[in-house]
Amino acid sequence: MTWVFDFIALVKRNYTLQHPPVAPKDDDALRIGTLGAARITPEALILPARSHPGVVVTAVAARNPARAREFAQKHGIPRVFDSYQELLDDPDIDAVYNPLPNGLHYEWTMKAITAWKHVLLEKPSCNTADETRRIFQYAEEKGVLVLEAFHYRWHPAVHRVREIVQSGELGAVKRLDGALTVPSGWFPRDDVRYDWTMGGGCMMDMGVYPLSFIRWLLDAEPISVISASAIPAHTSTLSAPLDRGTTALLSFPNDVTASLTCDSATPLPWEIMPKVEMKIECERGSVYILNFVQPTAYHYVTVHRQGKRPTTEKIYSSGPLSQKKFKGEDWWTTYRYQLEAFVDKIRGREPDYWMSAEDSIKQMEAVEMIYRKSGMGVRPASTYTL
């Protein structure tokens, strides 16, 4: 009957993550404005903010004022601005969420920093590593906070995997294989992901997840890209090469190799469901995690220890399996954990986990290495100058 209780918990958890309790707001709650009315914003900011007493989503700005007003009405956002700059200029806004297309990340994050706003910046941070470096340097100069929104990094499940891998109980890591793919039709053909001028490309969007997870699990940077190949998107041209999918094999210190695969439109019928997984092969066993990107919805971690029967764990909140304790409930999404850390850091409290500026810079350097090896080249740099 265990499966019955597991199923009930699954349904209850997924209902609550879509309908989180509304927390009474603190008098000094952080006032966040969102740049644009992106499809990710409700999941990444609005829903998590509902259950956080220290956060109020107070404003939205969009290039299309009518869309901004519709978005605000739908999500209960009290203020609407007709331009991003108007929102940034408002002294009653403490921080901004930047989910704009990749090619606009650099310009509007720099402008937000200029306006003394903290920034929760959607991944990937920028189109180039140099832009990422300049963002964090400028934020440090101005004394504001910028966090790249690699939300999965805050969930207890991925910390449990990292804990197992780095504990040494399975011996040294030998190889990692990560994948994030979705079937054809998941994204519309006119999606901004297929716009080279806006920093599109599957490696920039989906590929950054397995790459980031691999680097974090190893706590190391790739020495080289052994091989990389890209499947051109339908919008790809010689002057604007853009990948629908990318596969790469990386070399890391201590003779460790890692492969990653991403694809935004795997042909049917070969794939009818997304593939989100990571496998870590070690000297004396292996670890596998299903759905490391959004583990709250459902995941499992299977550990094969040499000479022993496999064990499976499901980690929805901190418990006795993990040495690292996190604030949170089993229905907290990765975005809710991330928002908790963002607010804690701004308020001078120590977050359970933090992603450093150096990590974000190294991530983009690795993305560029893969793009160069695949022949796609790096994404176009922003023309914006401070």
Side-chain angles (χ1 to χ4, degrees):
M1 291 292 291
T2 304
W3 71 268
V4 176
F5 295 108
D6 287 346
F7 179 74
I8 293 172
L10 173 71
V11 173
K12 182 179 178 181
R13 186 176 60 254
N14 278 274
Y15 177 84
T16 309
L17 68 85
Q18 292 295 331
H19 305 84
V22 178
K25 301 302 180 181
D26 299 336
D27 292 339
D28 64 343
L30 192 74
R31 298 162 299 184
I32 299 183
T34 178
L35 301 178
R39 281 173 291 183
I40 189 62
T41 305
E43 182 181 8
L45 177 65
I46 294 170
L47 283 177
R50 285 183 185 172
S51 64
H52 197 308
V55 175
V56 176
V57 181
T58 189
V60 59
R63 286 173 293 179
N64 182 337
R67 185 181 178 194
R69 286 191 291 272
E70 180 183 353
F71 189 86
Q73 184 175 19
K74 180 178 180 179
H75 298 290
I77 300 173
R79 303 183 66 194
V80 177
F81 292 91
D82 290 341
S83 73
Y84 303 148
Q85 191 60 54
E86 284 184 65
L87 186 150
L88 295 180
D89 291 338
D90 192 305
D92 291 331
I93 294 172
D94 306 307
V96 296
Y97 172 54
N98 184 352
L100 298 172
N102 301 337
L104 299 177
H105 282 187
Y106 177 72
E107 175 181 353
W108 288 103
T109 299
M110 293 296 270
K111 288 179 176 178
I113 296 169
T114 300
W116 306 96
K117 310 297 185 191
H118 305 291
V119 185
L120 180 59
L121 175 61
E122 263 306 332
K123 54 83 205 150
S125 53
C126 290
N127 270 10
T128 72
D130 185 57
E131 289 175 347
T132 303
R133 187 176 296 105
R134 278 183 271 166
I135 274 178
F136 284 102
Q137 287 175 347
Y138 189 43
E140 186 174 5
E141 290 172 14
K142 299 286 281 187
V144 300
L145 200 70
V146 175
L147 174 64
E148 185 179 12
F150 268 110
H151 54 97
Y152 82 91
R153 287 270 189 101
W154 278 266
H155 198 278
V158 296
H159 280 266
R160 174 58 177 155
V161 172
R162 190 171 188 252
E163 181 180 83
I164 295 168
V165 171
Q166 296 194 351
S167 71
E169 65 170 294
L170 300 178
V173 176
K174 305 305 292 181
R175 182 182 171 99
L176 304 91
D177 297 281
L180 177 51
T181 65
V182 294
S184 179
W186 195 269
F187 301 117
R189 288 175 65 84
D190 62 351
D191 194 279
V192 72
R193 290 171 175 83
Y194 299 125
D195 186 341
W196 183 83
T197 63
M198 285 290 101
C202 191
M203 188 62 224
M204 286 285 283
D205 179 54
M206 299 170 66
V208 294
Y209 280 107
L211 175 62
S212 168
F213 197 21
I214 288 166
R215 294 176 46 255
W216 187 57
L217 288 170
L218 294 174
D219 201 14
E221 303 304 328
I223 298 171
S224 65
V225 181
I226 299 170
S227 63
S229 60
I231 304 170
H234 61 281
T235 54
S236 184
T237 65
L238 287 176
S239 60
L242 191 142
D243 57 314
R244 188 204 82 194
T246 290
T247 299
L249 181 63
L250 312 178
S251 171
F252 283 84
N254 302 314
D255 296 322
V256 178
T257 56
S259 74
L260 67 86
T261 300
C262 62
D263 197 328
S264 60
T266 304
L268 298 169
W270 290 276
E271 183 174 296
I272 60 173
M273 291 291 290
K275 181 187 293 184
V276 191
E277 61 186 15
M278 181 69 68
K279 184 174 184 180
I280 306 102
E281 295 282 354
C282 304
E283 289 176 320
R284 298 190 298 274
S286 65
V287 186
Y288 173 87
I289 178 170
L290 175 75
N291 195 14
F292 65 91
V293 174
Q294 292 281 15
T296 306
Y298 180 76
H299 76 274
Y300 61 81
V301 177
T302 299
V303 183
H304 290 261
R305 297 175 175 88
Q306 201 171 70
K308 298 181 180 180
R309 296 183 65 180
T311 60
T312 298
E313 304 173 11
K314 296 173 184 176
I315 308 98
Y316 290 104
S317 59
S318 294
L321 289 174
S322 179
Q323 295 176 7
K324 188 170 180 62
K325 306 304 177 187
F326 281 76
K327 292 180 287 184
E329 306 291 338
D330 63 357
W331 52 267
W332 275 25
T333 64
T334 52
Y335 296 107
R336 179 60 178 83
Y337 279 107
Q338 175 181 260
L339 186 62
E340 186 80 13
F342 185 62
V343 176
D344 280 350
K345 193 76 169 179
I346 291 172
R347 295 306 190 199
R349 300 186 290 263
E350 187 64 30
D352 288 333
Y353 170 76
W354 192 252
M355 184 168 171
S356 70
E358 186 66 17
D359 195 340
S360 293
I361 295 166
K362 293 295 185 183
Q363 169 75 9
M364 280 311 303
E365 289 176 347
V367 170
E368 290 184 347
M369 289 171 64
I370 293 170
Y371 264 134
R372 290 191 180 100
K373 187 70 173 182
S374 71
M376 286 280 156
V378 299
R379 307 297 88 178
S382 172
T383 58
Y384 173 73
T385 56
L386 184 64

